[in-house]
Amino acid sequence: MKLNPLSNRVVIKFLEAEEKSVGGIILTAAAQEKPQIAEVISVGPGKIEDGVLVPMTVKVGDKVIASKYAGTAVKIDGAEYTILPEDDIYATVD
């Protein structure tokens, strides 16, 4: 199944949390911090403002920093995705 976001929405998948601390201590699932870096899976066509389509600035495959708790979490085919407005993406990561 494929998610096709509408308007200025973006589908992202957060990358896995670190399982070890900087000092090498293995962290339990409860102690792991929710990651902020995600991969863009799908993007909508953009937002219409004043009758003009404003294109999206991110594209599929981009690594981005997004708000930890923004958007709507969905689970499809066993994978967890987040659907959020492009405004909740703060930066791209090179």
Side-chain angles (χ1 to χ4, degrees):
M1 183 181 298
K2 184 177 178 198
L3 290 170
N4 297 308
L6 303 175
S7 188
N8 69 331
R9 302 290 192 279
V10 180
V11 177
I12 61 172
K13 183 173 184 179
F14 283 103
L15 301 179
E16 296 296 318
E18 292 291 324
E19 293 182 10
K20 287 186 180 181
S21 70
V22 176
I25 298 171
I26 297 175
L27 301 171
T28 64
Q32 293 173 4
E33 186 173 324
K34 186 172 178 180
Q36 286 182 277
I37 298 178
E39 181 178 358
V40 176
I41 304 299
S42 183
V43 297
K47 187 169 157 181
I48 296 179
E49 290 183 3
D50 299 324
V52 177
L53 180 66
V54 178
M56 302 292 277
T57 56
V58 296
K59 61 186 180 308
V60 173
D62 282 353
K63 298 281 191 277
V64 297
I65 296 177
S67 177
K68 289 182 186 182
Y69 304 105
T72 301
V74 295
K75 194 170 192 175
I76 298 200
D77 297 333
E80 290 188 28
Y81 301 99
T82 302
I83 303 171
L84 69 161
E86 186 179 37
D87 295 341
D88 287 339
I89 294 175
Y90 302 132
T92 58
V93 179
D94 292 330

